Amino acid sequence: MNISAFPDISIVPTSAEHAEALAELVGHNRDHLHAFLPAVVQLACVDDARAYLEAAAARAASGEVLEWHVFSGTTLCGSIRLKDIQQADRNARIGYYVGCQFLGRGIASAAVRAVLAHAFGALKLHRIELQCAAGNHASMGLAGRLGFTREGVLRQAELLNGVFVDLHVYGLLQPDFVPDGAALSLT
């Protein structure tokens, strides 16, 4: 993505200072987030969001999970996370979400691409895995746009809102990653 298409987008490490913005984003997107990320809906309260973000800082300090917030100007529009980071095997899993008002504008693709560039560059990871529930067509499309290969389906691998659903598994290897020279970068 050409950065000129996103002059006001920034990607920053999560911080407890973002608690109000996170609670507001989640509160305005309850239905949207509940479909595939019901646990995130719990962050609609500022105190719960703050507690989550403080715990996220501790996980980041240990290298267990790295998480960033995506802002459009001063408005929080989403989150991206690298989790299950395995330094010995040089792999991790990626997850993300954006508010429904930011869908279809390329923000998620550009932001995830920036985190992938960081993962394959500074973190020296070799493989990133993306899993998404059957029916999450937006995430499946994002995986395709970013060059992930569909590797298979984990049958009924996630209990989502009381129903077991299949998870589609995608993988991206460092040699297959095509960075965007004018892409967004992490700050």
Side-chain angles (χ1 to χ4, degrees):
M1 291 272 158
N2 187 323
I3 196 163
S4 63
F6 302 105
D8 66 336
I9 300 297
S10 60
I11 306 167
V12 299
T14 58
S15 166
E17 294 173 6
H18 304 159
E20 287 184 35
L22 178 58
E24 183 177 333
L25 174 69
V26 172
H28 290 356
N29 288 277
R30 286 181 194 270
D31 293 339
H32 168 67
L33 294 170
H34 188 264
F36 298 111
L37 299 167
V40 173
V41 175
Q42 305 305 312
L43 304 179
C45 164
V46 174
D47 290 338
D48 291 344
R50 183 172 285 107
Y52 171 82
L53 293 169
E54 288 169 353
R59 288 190 304 270
S62 74
E64 175 187 344
V65 175
L66 300 175
E67 192 165 350
W68 296 268
H69 278 156
V70 181
F71 283 88
S72 176
T74 59
T75 303
L76 179 63
C77 54
S79 181
I80 303 172
R81 168 198 300 197
L82 284 176
K83 63 182 186 176
D84 301 331
I85 300 169
Q86 302 295 321
Q87 290 297 338
D89 292 326
R90 296 176 42 206
N91 64 55
R93 289 180 30 204
I94 195 165
Y96 51 87
Y97 63 88
V98 294
C100 57
Q101 65 271 38
F102 300 101
L103 293 174
R105 295 174 36 193
I107 294 170
S109 294
V112 169
R113 185 182 300 279
V115 170
L116 290 170
H118 178 72
F120 291 133
L123 299 179
K124 300 190 183 325
L125 297 180
H126 179 71
R127 181 180 190 278
I128 302 294
E129 182 176 292
L130 183 157
Q131 294 182 358
C132 58
N136 189 342
H137 301 291
S139 283
M140 291 177 197
L142 184 141
R145 283 189 301 281
L146 296 181
F148 280 81
T149 298
R150 185 169 182 267
E151 296 178 338
V153 175
L154 301 173
R155 298 178 315 129
Q156 297 185 6
E158 182 176 25
L159 183 60
L160 189 59
N161 298 314
V163 177
F164 285 102
V165 298
D166 294 348
L167 288 178
H168 292 249
V169 179
Y170 296 85
L172 181 63
L173 303 179
Q174 184 278 328
D176 298 332
F177 176 63
V178 179
D180 184 344
L184 295 170
S185 61
L186 306 182
T187 56

